[in-house]
C-alpha cells in the first residue's frame, strides 16, 4: 500500500526487519570496509564478522551512503505514490550520512525533509517509528517531522565500552580523553550529548560501570510510559541480564528491545559494548 508520506532512515537505526516492513520504513545502508572489502551494513556484513575482524586487529573503517543511493531511495518512494518524504538519520556530528541525504534531497521528485536526529541506534529507530505512526494515521509531512523531532528531544542514550581505543581510532572521541581513560585504567560511561559522543563518568571496574549504567537508565526512565532499548556487541548475556533488571525496576516500560548493534556502530565501539536508550512516550 502506498503512503502519501514515505519514511526513510539509515541502517544505524537497527530496527528489526519485521518492524521496518510493517511500517514501510525504507533503510539506506552505510558501508563497512574490512581490509579492502567494502560491505553494506545489514546485508553483507554481520556484527559477528565485524567483531572477529576487530579482535584480529584488521583494518576496519566506515563510510556514509552516497547521495546517489539516497536519490534512488527517494525516486522509488515517489514512484510508489509518496507525495513527500521524511528522511531521518544518525547524528551529523558522527557521520556524513545527513549531508549526503541533504544533497540528494535537492533534486528529488517530491519534497524531502531531511532530519538530523542527533541520535543513533534505536534512539534513531524510535524517531523513525514516531514519524511512521503519524503518517499511518494520515498525518502530514510537517506533522511527521514534528513527531520525530519531539521523540528525539526526549530520548537519551548511554553506553559502556571496554575501551575508548576504537572511538579514538575512528575520530569519534578526542585522543586526550581516550588516553586519560587508558592511563587511569578506568571504565568509561558515555552519552550522546548534542549529537556528540561525550564522556559522562569514569568508573573503576566493568561491573561497577554496568551497575551505574543501570542506575542512570532507571533514573532517566522515571515512572511514566517509556520505551527502552538495550544494545550490545558480542555481549548477549550481559545485555539480557541488564534488560531483565530494567524490566523489574522500571514500572512504565511500554516496549523493551534487546539487540546487537550492526557493524557500523560496532566498528567504533568494539566488542563488549553495552548501551541503553531511554525514550519516554
Amino acid at each position: 500500500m502506498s503512503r502519501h508520506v514515505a519514511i526513510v532512515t539509515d541502517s544505524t537505526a537497527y530496527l528489526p526487519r519485521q518492524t521496518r516492513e510493517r511500517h514501510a520504513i525504507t533503510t539506506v545502508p552505510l558501508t563497512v570496509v574490512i581490509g579492502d572489502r567494502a560491505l553494506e551494513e545489514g546485508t553483507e556484513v554481520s556484527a559477528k564478522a565485524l567483531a572477529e575482524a576487530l579482535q584480529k586487529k584488521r583494518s576496519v573503517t566506515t563510510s556514509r551512503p552516497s547521495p546517489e543511493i539516497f536519490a534512488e531511495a527517494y525516486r522509488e518512494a515517489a514512484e510508489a505514490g509518496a507525495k513527500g518524504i521524511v528522511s531521518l538519520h544518525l547524528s551529523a556530528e558522527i557521520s556524513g550520512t545527513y549531508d549526503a541525504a541533504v544533497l540528494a534531497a535537492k533534486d528529488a521528485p517530491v519534497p524531502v525533509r531531511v532530519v538530523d536526529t542527533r541520535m543513533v541506534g534505536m534512539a534513531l529507530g524510535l524517531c523513525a517509528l514516531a514519524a511512521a505512526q503519524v503518517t499511518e494515521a494520515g498525518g502530514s509531512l510537517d506533522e511527521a517531522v514534528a513527531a520525530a523531532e519531539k521523540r528525539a528531544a526526549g530520548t537519551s542514550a548511554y553506553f559502556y565500552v571496554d575501551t575508548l581505543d576504537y572511538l579514538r581510532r575512528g575520530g569519534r572521541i578526542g585522543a586526550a580523553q581516550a588516553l586519560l581513560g587508558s592511563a587511569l585504567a578506568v571504565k568509561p560511561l558515555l552519552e550522546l550529548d548534542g549529537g556528540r559522543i561525550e564522556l559522562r563518568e569514569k568508573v573503576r571496574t566493568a561491573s561497577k560501570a554496568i551497575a551505574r549504567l543501570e542506575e542512570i537508565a532507571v533514573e532517566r526512565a522515571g515512572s511514566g510510559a517509556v520505551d527502552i532499548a538495550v544494545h550490545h556487541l558480542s555481549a548477549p548475556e550481559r545485555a539480557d541480564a541488564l534488560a531483565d533488571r530494567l524490566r523489574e525496576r522500571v514500572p512504565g516500560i511500554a516496549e523493551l528491545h534487546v539487540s546487537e548493534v550492526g557493524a557500523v556502530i560496532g566498528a567504533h565501539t568494539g566488542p563488549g559494548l553495552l548501551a541503553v536508550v531511554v525514550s519516554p512516550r
Side-chain angles (χ1 to χ4, degrees):
M1 181 179 72
S2 66
R3 189 94 43 86
H4 69 295
V5 176
I7 307 299
V8 175
T9 189
D10 61 68
S11 58
T12 69
Y14 301 137
L15 288 166
R17 179 178 55 81
Q18 300 93 323
T19 300
R20 297 196 308 268
E21 292 175 353
R22 183 165 66 249
H23 295 282
I25 297 172
T26 298
T27 300
V28 174
L30 275 73
T31 300
V32 179
V33 182
I34 300 177
D36 59 357
R37 296 186 65 204
L39 304 164
E40 284 189 356
E41 180 176 43
T43 57
E44 296 179 339
V45 59
S46 66
K48 181 180 178 181
L50 179 278
E52 289 175 352
L54 291 174
Q55 288 161 345
K56 293 176 181 176
K57 300 191 183 303
R58 297 184 63 191
S59 169
V60 178
T61 58
T62 61
S63 64
R64 71 180 193 179
S66 69
E68 291 75 20
I69 292 175
F70 276 113
E72 182 180 356
Y74 299 157
R75 194 162 48 246
E76 289 177 355
E79 289 172 356
K83 304 302 181 186
I85 299 167
V86 181
S87 197
L88 300 147
H89 302 293
L90 81 161
S91 174
E93 294 282 347
I94 56 179
S95 171
T97 300
Y98 168 81
D99 293 331
V102 169
L103 285 172
K106 292 177 180 178
D107 297 319
V110 296
V112 180
R113 295 281 298 278
V114 184
V115 179
D116 173 9
T117 66
R118 301 193 169 209
M119 294 287 154
V120 72
M122 275 296 292
L124 167 59
L126 290 169
C127 295
L129 279 175
Q133 287 161 355
V134 166
T135 66
E136 288 164 3
S140 68
L141 184 67
D142 287 343
E143 287 169 336
V145 169
E149 291 179 336
K150 181 179 179 181
R151 195 74 194 251
T155 297
S156 302
Y158 311 98
F159 51 110
Y160 160 83
V161 291
D162 280 331
T163 173
L164 290 171
D165 195 42
Y166 296 105
L167 285 162
R168 178 193 59 77
R169 288 185 213 170
R172 266 62 179 186
I173 197 167
Q177 285 185 314
L179 184 62
L180 179 65
S182 299
L184 296 177
V186 297
K187 294 298 184 181
L189 285 178
L190 304 128
E191 65 180 334
L192 277 177
D193 183 5
R196 297 180 299 275
I197 297 170
E198 301 286 359
L199 189 61
R200 180 186 172 99
E201 296 178 17
K202 298 187 291 289
V203 187
R204 284 291 178 183
T205 66
S207 59
K208 288 181 179 178
I210 293 169
R212 180 62 185 138
L213 180 66
E214 178 184 336
E215 291 302 323
I216 292 169
V218 170
E219 291 166 10
R220 179 69 185 85
S223 58
V226 63
D227 293 322
I228 291 178
V230 176
H231 288 309
H232 72 93
L233 180 63
S234 299
E237 297 86 358
R238 186 184 272 178
D240 287 339
L242 176 58
D244 288 343
R245 293 194 299 272
L246 290 173
R247 282 190 188 95
E248 293 175 359
R249 299 189 60 190
V250 179
I253 289 180
E255 290 189 26
L256 194 153
H257 307 265
V258 181
S259 64
E260 190 163 35
V261 298
V264 167
I265 299 306
H268 297 294
T269 59
L273 163 74
L274 193 60
V276 181
V277 171
V278 182
S279 185
R281 289 195 169 188

